[in-house]
Amino acid sequence: MGTLTLSTMRSELLFDLGNRTDFPDGGAEEARLNRWINSVYEHVCFPNVHKHWELESSITIPLVEDQFEYPLDTGQSYITREILGFKALRYVEDTADSYTARRSQLVPRGSSFFNSRTHNSATPNAYTILRKNLIVTPGPDSTVAGNVVVCEVWEKPDRLVADGDVTVLIDWWDEALIGEAPDRTELGGVEETNYLPDLHTERSNPRG
């Protein structure tokens, strides 16, 4: 967890910007500094920037007979936070993620694999992500419906809002956020990017 609060980051950022006088405390200008800091915070959390172990989590998706597509938006009961990327997916022959249940890894496939063939119903063994949907193949038949797919993911953290808020990342990222924020101001902020298609990267070491 970080040690510098949002308020301290604002002060450090203002110092890096030459103590400009057009950023008084409070109001729209303070909100602008907060937005710049949060834009960098959210950017460095994407797994293609760095694979943070603090953002690792898992989601469990119950399989439905003959249902190939499973939405990945936060409106689903099995998703509580926005997903930034996927590490691995496995099929579990049980209604929950049990170590004693039979398990098998799902193989990632490109969209062309799914679009170029007819799919049947059986036990899922492959997947792809298309337009924020998880697609599995074969589709679950009646013998596997109710079992689950467990997705190892990186999740998006909460934005820094209150003056006392700190990041969920290890504390040495605090200075990195402050150092990057002035560069982001020159660009007018970070362009929002959908990283969901970039799902199949593995960690190069235990801490990312």
Side-chain angles (χ1 to χ4, degrees):
M1 181 173 289
T3 56
L4 296 184
T5 65
L6 177 59
S7 177
T8 302
M9 287 186 183
R10 274 200 315 270
S11 297
E12 293 294 318
L13 175 56
L14 194 57
F15 176 81
D16 287 348
L17 293 173
N19 289 318
R20 287 169 50 174
T21 59
D22 53 339
F23 288 99
D25 290 339
E29 302 309 328
E30 182 176 293
R32 180 174 297 162
L33 291 176
N34 289 350
R35 187 168 62 252
W36 288 340
I37 292 168
N38 274 294
S39 71
V40 177
Y41 180 31
E42 293 176 355
H43 176 73
V44 302
C45 285
F46 280 108
N48 69 332
V49 176
H50 188 81
K51 299 172 182 65
H52 300 278
W53 63 268
E54 299 93 339
L55 302 178
E56 293 177 5
S57 186
S58 64
I59 60 173
T60 301
I61 302 177
L63 295 173
V64 179
E65 184 176 357
D66 293 330
Q67 181 175 325
F68 289 80
E69 294 191 16
Y70 297 84
L72 296 173
D73 58 87
T74 53
Q76 309 305 313
S77 60
Y78 45 83
I79 295 181
T80 58
R81 290 180 178 272
E82 184 176 343
I83 298 171
L84 298 179
F86 287 69
K87 289 171 56 184
L89 283 76
R90 62 182 176 272
Y91 164 72
V92 180
E93 199 171 290
D94 203 340
T95 57
D97 186 16
S98 170
Y99 284 112
T100 59
R102 180 177 296 177
R103 298 166 154 204
S104 58
Q105 201 82 352
L106 297 188
V107 178
R109 299 284 191 177
S111 59
S112 60
F113 172 86
F114 282 79
N115 294 333
S116 61
R117 66 195 63 222
T118 300
H119 300 274
N120 61 338
S121 295
T123 300
N125 57 39
Y127 77 96
T128 193
I129 307 295
L130 185 62
R131 293 186 293 274
K132 279 200 170 183
N133 288 290
L134 166 66
I135 306 175
V136 298
T137 191
D141 63 15
S142 59
T143 66
V144 302
N147 293 342
V148 298
V149 166
V150 178
C151 311
E152 301 295 337
V153 301
W154 288 276
E155 292 184 330
K156 182 178 179 179
D158 292 332
R159 291 172 65 88
L160 307 178
V161 178
D163 283 349
D165 285 352
V166 295
T167 76
V168 299
L169 308 180
I170 193 169
D171 57 3
W172 55 264
W173 279 95
D174 288 349
E175 293 294 338
L177 299 188
I178 296 168
E180 284 293 316
D183 295 333
R184 300 297 171 186
T185 65
E186 295 174 6
L187 298 175
V190 180
E191 180 180 355
E192 183 179 355
T193 306
N194 178 13
Y195 286 91
L196 277 172
D198 184 21
L199 304 177
H200 313 309
T201 52
E202 295 292 338
R203 292 179 299 171
S204 59
N205 61 70
R207 293 186 65 84

